[in-house]
Amino acid sequence: MAASRGLPVPLVIVCLVLIRGYSPLPTTSGVPAMAPKTPTGDSLSTEDYRDYEGQTDAPILPDTLPPLGGTLTRCNYDPCLESQVSCAVLKAKTGCLCPGFTSQRQAPEIPNLRSVSWNGSEVVIHWCAPYSYVTAYIVTVGGKERQRFGGDRRIGGVGDIDEGSEVCVAAVNDVATSKESCEVYQPRDHSLPLKAGLIGGALGLLLLLLLAVLLCRHKRQRKQQASISMRETAETQ
């Protein structure tokens, strides 16, 4: 104490300041630390900051998740076209979306019979496939089986049938047969094309005869004019 009393007052103050400068600052205090700032200037909690820095596995909202593989589109599959690549194969190749198909362990749904018409030589039917696993299609006429087609077919001929006959098509797989889609056959007049051809031929023949008559009359007039001019020439001489 005696030594300290002998020191000058300014020297004591300088020593105290140096000692204070080299002492470590306290790591905690009663004053809360300032929260870090986001780029927008909004303060976040500790958990939010960790999320912001990507240090936690915070859940992401579903609507913020991008779809895997880019934008999903529907497969280019038309159930009314035949001999096309199945939707399952298209999905496996391109990752497109297929409509809901029933499994192989379920009975197929009903196909859609679109038309029953005469094509000039036989009755042809057109149907659309159901969204089901199908191995074949059975066509009946008047309740009796007429034809059986493969699972990739959508058009088929059933021969010549009577007017008013009920034509039906059903889908088949390894489990069961679907219900039938039916339509009554109402044929158009088969003689209309023949009549149109006969009328067209008659009109063509009449036109040819008319042209022949006009040509003959033109030749006759030219001969008459030539004979008249020759006569006039002889008289003047």
Side-chain angles (χ1 to χ4, degrees):
M1 294 294 293
S4 65
R5 289 178 183 178
L7 294 174
V9 175
L11 182 60
V12 173
I13 294 174
V14 171
C15 292
L16 291 175
V17 171
L18 292 174
I19 294 171
R20 179 67 176 177
Y22 282 103
S23 62
L25 293 174
T27 56
T28 60
S29 64
V31 180
M34 296 297 293
K37 301 293 183 178
T38 65
T40 59
D42 298 330
S43 62
L44 297 173
S45 65
T46 304
E47 296 297 328
D48 292 335
Y49 181 76
R50 290 175 182 173
D51 295 345
Y52 177 78
E53 293 293 332
Q55 298 177 357
T56 63
D57 295 328
I60 304 176
L61 295 177
D63 56 357
T64 62
L65 291 173
L68 297 177
T71 304
L72 295 177
T73 57
R74 294 184 179 182
C75 297
N76 186 18
Y77 174 78
D78 188 346
C80 299
L81 297 179
E82 66 176 16
S83 301
Q84 62 179 328
V85 180
S86 66
C87 196
V89 174
L90 293 176
K91 180 179 180 181
K93 288 184 177 180
T94 65
C96 59
L97 294 176
C98 283
F101 282 78
T102 59
S103 67
Q104 299 181 9
R105 299 181 179 179
Q106 292 179 292
E109 297 179 353
I110 305 174
N112 181 19
L113 182 58
R114 298 290 298 274
S115 64
V116 181
S117 59
W118 177 264
N119 72 344
S121 59
E122 64 175 342
V123 176
V124 175
I125 66 172
H126 178 209
W127 67 90
C128 297
Y131 292 115
S132 305
Y133 173 70
V134 179
T135 58
Y137 293 96
I138 297 177
V139 178
T140 60
V141 177
K144 297 181 180 180
E145 181 176 340
R146 176 63 67 92
Q147 292 287 356
R148 184 181 291 258
F149 300 99
D152 62 339
R153 294 287 299 274
R154 303 293 184 268
I155 300 175
V158 294
D160 192 5
I161 62 177
D162 297 331
E163 180 180 355
S165 299
E166 186 180 42
V167 181
C168 302
V169 59
V172 181
N173 62 13
D174 300 332
V175 177
T177 301
S178 72
K179 295 182 179 179
E180 295 180 329
S181 177
C182 302
E183 183 177 329
V184 176
Y185 174 55
Q186 298 293 344
R188 298 178 180 177
D189 190 356
H190 297 173
S191 62
L192 286 179
L194 179 60
K195 291 180 180 178
L198 292 176
I199 293 174
L203 290 176
L205 181 59
L206 181 61
L207 180 61
L208 289 176
L209 291 175
L210 180 61
L211 290 175
V213 171
L214 292 176
L215 183 60
C216 291
R217 290 183 61 182
H218 180 68
K219 289 182 177 181
R220 186 182 302 171
Q221 289 178 356
R222 291 187 62 181
K223 287 181 179 180
Q224 290 178 356
Q225 291 177 357
S227 61
I228 293 173
S229 61
M230 292 177 62
R231 187 183 304 169
E232 292 178 350
T233 302
E235 290 178 355
T236 55
Q237 290 178 357

